[in-house]
Amino acid sequence: SSELTQDPAVSVALGQAVRITCQGDSLRSYYASWYQQKPGQAPVLVLYGRNTRPSGIPDRFSGSTSGDIASLTITGAQAEDEADYYCSSRDTSAKHSVFGSGTKVTVL
Amino acid sequence: QVRLRESGPGLVKPSETLSLTCTVSGGSISSYYWSWIRQSPGKGLEWIGYIYNSGDINYNPSLKSRVTISVDTSKNQVSLNLISVTAADTAVYYCARDVKYSDSSGYYHWYFDLWGRGTLVTVSS
């Protein structure tokens, strides 16, 4: 399978936690990676692997996987976290990358 | 610090060929996977394909018949050609470094750790 499904939008109160999910068959074999994209900017990697943050990404970003669902959690959301978030992984063939449709996170 | 910069025409006529170059500075392109990814206006990200040292290339099945990705190690550049373009190919095109790693169990995973700023290509007559 080559599809990753994300909820289109989610909102979170400032300082609260929000969980973004990504579902797909390939996630049973491959970890998801997560990207933050703000308007007019290129995506930025925020999480990969089991739960690894690149240098410079705040520790309020964390991840987990269970079965065919990967999750990105923002604990203590800040105004600057308002963005689109995309998950990605290889498909079940391992030859192609796929992206989820993206989740727009609004911080209230 | 490794940087990626996409370049090429911002306007392409329908039925013609879209050609873009990604120049990598601050590091070698060898021993890494390099992907092209695009984003149509207001839409999500679409993976186009990757190349690894010229010998390992794979494309999105939906674009495979029209796309070619190549690498010039002497210039530290990765190129994208997309033939027979239509308005549906209007998008911001990104190049990205595609990192492959193995976990503690020996399974492989991938992620895009570096992205260029992207270049907008409009298909219009």
Side-chain angles (χ1 to χ4, degrees), chain B residues 35-108:
Chain B
S35 278
W36 284 96
I37 296 156
R38 71 180 183 178
Q39 186 172 35
S40 299
K43 303 297 184 181
L45 300 169
E46 180 182 29
W47 176 76
I48 297 171
Y50 76 70
I51 189 167
Y52 178 72
N53 283 344
S54 296
D56 184 4
I57 307 172
N58 268 297
Y59 303 123
N60 186 321
S62 68
L63 297 169
K64 185 176 182 178
S65 64
R66 298 194 294 128
V67 68
T68 303
I69 296 176
S70 59
V71 64
D72 186 335
T73 54
S74 67
K75 296 181 178 179
N76 239 29
Q77 292 178 335
V78 183
S79 296
L80 169 71
N81 276 359
L82 184 66
I83 66 171
S84 305
V85 297
T86 69
D89 295 310
T90 293
V92 175
Y93 286 76
Y94 297 100
C95 62
R97 190 168 73 175
D98 195 349
V99 176
K100 177 182 179 181
Y101 71 100
S102 61
D103 62 20
S104 56
S105 300
Y107 293 101
Y108 289 109

Side-chain angles (χ1 to χ4, degrees), chain A residues 29-33 35 37 40-45 47-50 84 86 88-91 94-101, chain B residues 33 35 37 39 43-47 50 58-61 94 98 101 103-105 107-113 115-118:
Chain A
S29 303
Y30 304 110
Y31 287 127
S33 52
Y35 305 87
Q37 187 180 35
Q41 298 183 18
V44 173
L45 176 70
L47 205 77
Y48 66 95
R50 187 184 300 272
D84 293 326
Y86 294 90
S88 178
S89 81
R90 285 295 171 101
D91 69 3
K95 294 181 179 179
H96 313 117
S97 288
V98 291
F99 285 94
S101 50
Chain B
Y33 290 79
S35 278
I37 296 156
Q39 186 172 35
K43 303 297 184 181
L45 300 169
E46 180 182 29
W47 176 76
Y50 76 70
N58 268 297
Y59 303 123
N60 186 321
Y94 297 100
D98 195 349
Y101 71 100
D103 62 20
S104 56
S105 300
Y107 293 101
Y108 289 109
H109 307 275
W110 290 262
Y111 59 91
F112 303 105
D113 70 331
W115 296 66
R117 296 180 64 178

